């Protein structure tokens, strides 16, 4: 998240009495560069956000950019590593935004008071979760709200979105070159390839 090039994935935080705060709410605030560094790896260095306002939930929103065409996607796997705490109990809840119904669904939750990995896997109606701009929105929040002066706190160590597509079935490598980026942290180690490929897609729908 917070990749320095192009149209990056993004992360936000908010507090709200609405436990299903939509992605277009003006209450969302983007993480700072220093905060993004805390969620780049699964390394027990966590971003946390706390609210002590009664009846409000501590929430995070993650926006992932899908570069492939919507109709070529055949599976989406989202994972959140973290947890939530509050007066009533511990636990974090994760929900996936359905842009066709303008609501969250595909939810899962945990009750740990330390890092646990929550996952959502989607293999049907995939275009419902990738909007017209190619974005997927994932909400993570405390299960319980702040109460009695005790804050609700959401902790995030790492979050990911893995997209599987119908795509290249055969490829030849023509050439390659190093394209490492060491002017940013963490360093980005990568190699650029020139490819000759054949692609066969089965695209359903209009």
């Amino acid at each position: 998240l917070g990749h320095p090039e192009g149209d990056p994935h993004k992360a936000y935080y908010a507090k709200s009495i609405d436990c299903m705060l939509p992605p277009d709410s003006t209450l969302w605030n983007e993480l700072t560069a220093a905060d993004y560094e805390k969620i780049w790896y699964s390394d027990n260095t966590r971003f946390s956000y706390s609210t002590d306002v009664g009846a409000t939930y501590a929430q995070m929103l993650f926006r992932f950019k899908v570069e492939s065409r919507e109709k070529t996607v055949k599976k989406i796997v989202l994972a959140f590593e973290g947890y939530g705490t509050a007066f009533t109990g511990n636990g974090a809840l994760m929900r996936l935004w359905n842009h066709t119904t303008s609501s969250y669904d595909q939810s899962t939750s945990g009750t740990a008071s330390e890092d646990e990995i929550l996952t959502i896997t989607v293999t049907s109606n995939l275009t419902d979760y990738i909007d017209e701009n190619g974005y997927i929105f994932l909400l993570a929040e405390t299960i319980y709200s702040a109460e009695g002066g005790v804050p609700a706190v959401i902790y995030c160590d790492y979050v990911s979105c893995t997209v599987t597509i119908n795509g290249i079935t055969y490829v030849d490598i023509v050439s390659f070159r190093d394209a490492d980026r060491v002017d940013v942290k963490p360093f980005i180690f990568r190699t650029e390839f020139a490819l000759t490929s054949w692609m066969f897609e089965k695209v359903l729908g209009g």
Side-chain angles (χ1 to χ4, degrees):
L1 291 171
H3 195 284
E5 294 180 346
D7 187 12
H9 312 307
K10 291 185 178 289
Y12 306 86
Y13 62 90
K15 63 175 179 286
S16 174
I17 60 173
D18 182 358
C19 64
M20 296 189 184
L21 192 66
D24 60 357
S25 171
T26 59
L27 295 178
W28 292 113
N29 300 282
E30 188 176 359
L31 271 63
T32 65
D35 289 334
Y36 272 121
E37 292 182 10
K38 298 175 183 177
I39 61 173
W40 272 338
Y41 306 109
S42 174
D43 59 1
N44 295 324
T45 300
R46 305 174 188 87
F47 169 80
S48 64
Y49 179 66
S50 172
T51 173
D52 59 3
V53 178
T56 61
Y57 298 85
Q59 302 168 309
M60 294 187 71
L61 179 72
F62 304 98
R63 188 192 80 177
F64 298 98
K65 175 70 172 178
V66 177
E67 299 296 344
S68 305
R69 290 191 300 165
E70 294 177 29
K71 293 178 181 178
T72 67
V73 176
K74 63 180 181 180
K75 183 167 73 171
I76 301 168
V77 180
L78 298 127
F80 171 84
E81 182 177 350
Y83 61 100
T85 61
F87 175 79
T88 304
N90 300 318
L93 175 65
M94 187 167 76
R95 308 177 195 266
L96 185 58
W97 180 254
N98 184 324
H99 75 93
T100 62
T101 62
S102 295
S103 63
Y104 288 104
D105 56 27
Q106 299 284 345
S107 65
T108 188
S109 63
T111 58
S113 58
E114 58 186 16
D115 280 354
E116 61 181 330
I117 299 175
L118 306 178
T119 61
I120 292 175
T121 300
V122 184
T123 56
S124 61
N125 300 318
L126 292 153
T127 56
D128 290 351
Y129 304 102
I130 307 172
D131 71 15
E132 64 276 8
N133 296 311
Y135 294 133
I136 296 172
F137 291 95
L138 179 69
L139 174 70
E141 62 185 347
T142 55
I143 292 178
Y144 302 103
S145 64
E147 182 182 348
V150 177
V153 188
I154 186 74
Y155 297 86
C156 177
D157 190 3
Y158 184 68
V159 64
S160 65
C161 175
T162 303
V163 175
T164 304
I165 63 169
N166 296 301
I168 294 173
T169 56
Y170 181 82
V171 62
D172 282 334
I173 299 176
V174 178
S175 63
F176 66 91
R177 71 182 184 91
D178 291 332
D180 296 342
R181 286 285 306 276
V182 294
D183 57 324
V184 296
K185 290 186 177 180
F187 298 153
I188 301 171
F189 298 103
R190 65 186 180 189
T191 302
E192 292 183 355
F193 294 90
L195 307 174
T196 298
S197 63
W198 289 261
M199 178 177 291
F200 301 93
E201 296 180 356
K202 182 179 180 182
V203 179
L204 303 178

